[in-house]
Amino acid sequence: QVQLVESGGGLVQAGGSLRLSCAASGRTFSSYGMGWFRQAPGKEREFVAAISWSGGNTYYADSLKGRFTISRDNAKNAVYLQMNSLKPEDTAVYYCAAAYKMGPIRINDFEYDYWGQGTQVTVSS
């Protein structure tokens, strides 16, 4: 079992940057592929980015390519989401999620086994 705790959210002006972190408990963190999702008010949760267990493969939502970067540090049991050139439409609660023994990158939320509680990101115009 894995417990996930996100941090790093906050209020930022448009054009600014934030780095989200997700700390994972458990000794088998490297067995999990990791993903970031977000949910804006009144909208469904949507895929943001995912990374394989080794960090060798990453995948992004098309609309976010070039602005967001996912990475992980298995020695620290952590996954990160660097967000640059933020826009007001990036405002959402951001969640990290873990998928056990993820082979191909997964982009659907129902394919993930564990979820964090979320961290709020607000981008002002």
Side-chain angles (χ1 to χ4, degrees), residues 7-116:
S7 61
L11 174 64
V12 63
Q13 288 187 332
S17 298
L18 281 176
R19 187 192 194 209
L20 305 184
S21 298
C22 176
S25 65
R27 294 175 293 177
T28 59
F29 178 68
S30 60
S31 297
Y32 291 82
M34 300 297 295
W36 285 97
F37 291 77
R38 68 184 184 183
Q39 188 166 20
K43 295 186 177 181
E44 294 187 352
R45 186 161 54 189
E46 64 174 351
F47 171 78
V48 173
I51 189 167
S52 61
W53 67 271
S54 67
N57 293 319
T58 58
Y59 190 79
Y60 299 90
D62 286 342
S63 61
L64 301 176
K65 288 180 182 177
R67 294 195 299 123
F68 288 17
T69 303
I70 189 172
S71 61
R72 68 187 294 162
D73 185 339
N74 286 344
K76 295 182 178 180
N77 280 15
V79 63
Y80 308 99
L81 185 69
Q82 178 67 43
M83 305 185 294
N84 298 327
S85 302
L86 283 162
K87 305 175 182 180
E89 51 263 43
D90 295 318
T91 295
V93 177
Y94 283 71
Y95 300 90
C96 71
Y100 185 61
K101 290 191 180 295
M102 180 172 71
I105 292 288
R106 301 176 184 177
I107 65 171
N108 298 301
D109 56 4
F110 60 80
E111 296 178 293
Y112 285 78
D113 305 301
Y114 301 101
W115 291 82

